């Protein structure tokens, strides 16, 4: 009811190893924090925690076949407990489909041979699990995408209606003070606001005990006597406690979850790295501001905590009228050990939304997210044995796990 879609026991079939290997024990959206930026009496309280106050599962509605999802998608129904304790069924809450979008999984052209051009290309294909949450005026399209390379992508797509208020202004030239929004139509202001979507990622990379690693890009001065003046190298830091793992993803570093107890034949620790996919905003509100106290975790995009079954919801168990004394920031204040432990990564997709006329009255979709990408998890590229598509093969369709589609 609160989280919506929950991904459980995501694993990889490693054909070379002949075994299934664990990656993500459980992943779900923990919270959607949306603070508006108008401090007026009628607006200051509009700082929503959509999951904790309303429930993402409760705010999901039936998907429209052929529009929300491809024509051959398979659908899953959703169930929740009603106010009388009886199960309530909602049809077509989740769709699952294969995506052939014309993307390339890998390719190379070798042009160095006389009178011969060698090109190898493999098309990309992924499996998408989608839910759409309509929370008030906004619609959130939440995609979990599983790629044949071993990557797991989370993509948040925003659309819906802007939150607007009436005004005396009819032209932008009339505005002489902070209006807290954009004039999108006569007498209509769309108010500035943020979107922070926080995912709870209980990663078990090739086993339960993992560590969090920062591969930091560091500039060095060249002392080798060659004409180059500088270069960069990697400084590796392994987080010992929670304080070491609160990270701004806009800094120059690779962030990894590794299994220090498993290594490749080359001696590298097997792992996955988190790759930002746009939408990396962090909160700029003052720490003593009430909405920021409730969602203090929004100052950083990445947090890592030791697994605790009671720590699922970033703003705390009871989000409604919360005061900030529970939740991710408070838990991390204990600064517990996280090296070679069962750990959880929290990743926040953040957007500072300055409305524009093009967003009014219904906003075109804008997307952001992140990718969990193998990092020395395999001995080599797992797609090398992918077959080349036949010349006589018909065009790809968005296939699904459905049976007879005739």
């Amino acid at each position: 009811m609160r989280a919506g879609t929950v991904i459980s026991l995501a694993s990889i079939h490693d054909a070379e190893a002949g075994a299934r290997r664990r990656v993500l024990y459980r992943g779900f959206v923990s919270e959607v924090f949306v603070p508006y930026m108008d401090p007026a009496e009628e607006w200051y309280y509009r700082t929503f925690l959509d999951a904790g106050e309303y429930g993402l599962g409760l705010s999901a509605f039936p998907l429209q076949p052929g529009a929300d999802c491809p024509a051959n998608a398979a659908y899953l129904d959703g169930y929740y407990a009603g106010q009388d304790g009886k199960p309530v069924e909602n049809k077509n809450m989740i769709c699952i489909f294969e995506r052939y979008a014309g993307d390339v999984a890998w390719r190379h052209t070798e042009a160095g041979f006389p009178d011969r051009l060698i090109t190898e290309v493999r098309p990309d294909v992924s499996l998408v699990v989608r839910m759409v949450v309509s929370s008030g005026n906004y619609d959130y399209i939440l995609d979990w995408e599983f790629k044949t390379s071993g990557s797991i992508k989370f993509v948040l797509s925003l659309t819906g209606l802007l939150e607007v208020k009436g005004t005396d202004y009819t032209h932008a030239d009339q505005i002489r003070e902070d209006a807290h929004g954009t004039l999108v139509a006569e007498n209509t202001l769309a108010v500035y606001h943020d979107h922070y979507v926080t995912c709870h990622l209980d990663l078990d990379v090739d086993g339960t005990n993992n560590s969090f690693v920062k591969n930091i890009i560091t500039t060095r001065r060249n002392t080798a006597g060659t004409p180059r003046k500088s270069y960069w190298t990697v400084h590796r830091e392994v987080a010992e406690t929670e304080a070491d793992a609160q990270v701004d993803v806009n800094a120059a570093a690779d962030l990894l979850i590794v299994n220090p107890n498993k290594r490749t034949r080359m001696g590298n620790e097997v792992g996955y790295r988190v790759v930002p996919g746009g939408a990396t905003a962090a909160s700029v509100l003052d720490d003593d501001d009430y909405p920021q106290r409730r969602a203090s975790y929004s100052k950083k995009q990445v947090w890592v905590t030791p697994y605790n079954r009671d720590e699922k919801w970033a703003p705390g168990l009871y989000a409604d009228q919360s005061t900030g004394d529970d939740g991710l920031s408070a838990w991390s204040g204990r600064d517990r050990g996280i090296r070679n432990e069962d750990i959880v990564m929290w990743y926040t997709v953040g957007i500072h939304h300055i409305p524009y006329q093009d967003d009014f009255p219904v906003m075109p979709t804008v997307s952001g997210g992140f990718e969990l990408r193998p990092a020395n998890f395999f001995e080599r590229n797992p797609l090398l044995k992918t077959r080349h598509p036949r010349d006589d093969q018909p065009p790809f369709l968005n296939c699904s796990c459905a049976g007879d589609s005739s």
Side-chain angles (χ1 to χ4, degrees):
M1 294 173 64
R2 184 165 177 173
T5 301
V6 177
I7 302 298
S8 297
L9 303 177
S11 60
I12 300 293
H13 175 67
D14 187 340
E16 191 165 321
R20 298 195 71 85
R21 300 169 66 189
R22 288 186 287 171
V23 178
L24 181 65
Y25 179 75
R26 182 173 290 120
F28 57 89
V29 175
S30 175
E31 192 52 79
V32 179
F33 175 45
V34 187
Y36 282 82
M37 298 299 146
D38 190 337
E41 185 69 26
E42 302 83 5
W43 275 80
Y44 76 90
Y45 61 89
R46 300 190 190 207
T47 56
F48 303 106
L49 294 168
D50 286 337
E53 294 175 335
Y54 303 103
L56 301 184
L58 289 175
S59 301
F61 298 96
L63 298 167
Q64 303 302 303
D68 282 321
C69 308
N72 290 337
Y75 292 85
L76 300 178
D77 300 334
Y79 299 85
Y80 66 90
Q83 293 183 352
D84 58 0
K86 295 180 180 179
V88 177
E89 179 186 39
N90 278 344
K91 304 292 289 185
N92 294 359
M93 288 291 99
I94 297 171
C95 71
I96 304 173
F97 59 93
E98 285 185 349
R99 172 183 284 156
Y100 297 91
D103 296 326
V104 174
W106 67 266
R107 81 173 316 280
H108 181 62
T109 295
E110 189 61 56
F113 298 99
D115 302 321
R116 188 181 182 190
L117 188 68
I118 301 174
T119 299
E120 287 287 345
V121 187
R122 298 295 184 272
D124 193 26
V125 59
S126 59
L127 183 71
V128 179
V129 178
R130 173 174 294 169
M131 170 179 272
V132 177
V133 174
S134 298
S135 184
N137 55 304
Y138 268 102
D139 293 65
Y140 297 91
I141 304 165
L142 307 174
D143 284 357
W144 293 89
E145 184 175 355
F146 302 89
K147 302 176 74 67
T148 50
S149 62
S151 286
I152 301 173
K153 295 180 70 176
F154 174 79
V155 180
L156 159 73
S157 298
L158 297 174
T159 181
L161 304 177
L162 295 174
E163 190 89 337
V164 298
K165 70 173 187 176
T167 179
D168 292 334
Y169 301 128
T170 58
H171 194 278
D173 288 348
Q174 298 170 345
I175 302 174
R176 293 289 183 265
E177 58 184 6
D178 190 351
H180 312 297
T182 302
L183 191 68
V184 293
E186 289 187 0
N187 307 115
T188 306
L189 277 170
V191 178
Y192 304 142
H193 58 283
D194 294 325
H195 300 268
Y196 300 108
V197 178
T198 301
C199 290
H200 175 285
L201 305 167
D202 184 359
L203 288 153
D204 283 354
V205 177
D206 222 14
T208 302
N209 284 20
N210 292 166
S211 295
F212 180 65
V213 173
K214 291 178 281 187
N215 278 341
I216 301 170
I217 306 299
T218 304
T219 303
R220 296 280 176 84
R221 195 70 178 167
N222 181 29
T223 59
T226 59
R228 284 285 299 273
K229 300 298 183 184
S230 64
Y231 64 97
W232 64 259
T233 189
V234 175
H235 173 65
R236 187 175 188 268
E237 292 184 0
V238 182
E240 296 288 346
T241 66
E242 292 172 277
D244 301 327
Q246 299 170 15
V247 180
D248 179 355
V249 299
N250 295 302
D254 272 5
L255 307 177
L256 301 95
I257 299 290
V258 304
N259 187 329
N261 310 299
K262 300 283 185 68
R263 293 179 180 265
T264 65
R265 288 196 294 268
M266 297 298 101
N268 295 306
E269 294 176 341
V270 303
Y272 263 69
R273 64 187 176 108
V274 58
V275 182
T280 58
S283 178
V284 296
L285 296 178
D286 291 339
D287 291 337
D288 62 349
D289 197 4
Y290 288 106
Q292 186 59 42
R293 286 168 53 185
R294 300 176 70 203
S296 52
Y297 58 87
S298 58
K299 289 282 186 175
K300 301 287 186 181
Q301 298 91 347
V302 170
W303 301 65
V304 179
T305 62
Y307 173 78
N308 184 314
R309 61 178 298 177
D310 296 324
E311 297 177 2
K312 297 178 181 178
W313 314 110
L317 180 60
Y318 301 106
D320 195 22
Q321 299 184 14
S322 59
T323 59
D325 56 354
D326 190 16
L328 178 55
S329 182
W331 305 330
S332 287
R334 289 176 276 178
D335 203 21
R336 297 162 292 184
I338 58 172
R339 184 167 186 166
N340 201 13
E341 300 284 349
D342 186 2
I343 56 178
V344 174
M345 175 183 285
W346 307 74
Y347 189 101
T348 296
V349 181
I351 297 174
H352 296 309
H353 191 174
I354 303 172
Y356 298 95
Q357 283 185 242
D358 319 76
D359 299 336
F360 182 78
V362 179
M363 174 183 159
T365 300
V366 61
S367 301
F370 61 87
E371 178 178 354
L372 299 172
R373 185 179 178 92
N376 298 322
F377 189 81
F378 300 104
E379 294 293 339
R380 57 179 181 167
N381 181 354
L383 297 178
L384 289 179
K385 293 185 178 180
T386 305
R387 290 178 293 178
H388 192 285
R390 302 190 312 270
D391 292 337
D392 61 346
Q393 182 172 312
F396 286 122
L397 300 175
N398 276 311
C399 303
S400 75
C401 55
D404 186 7
S405 59
S406 60

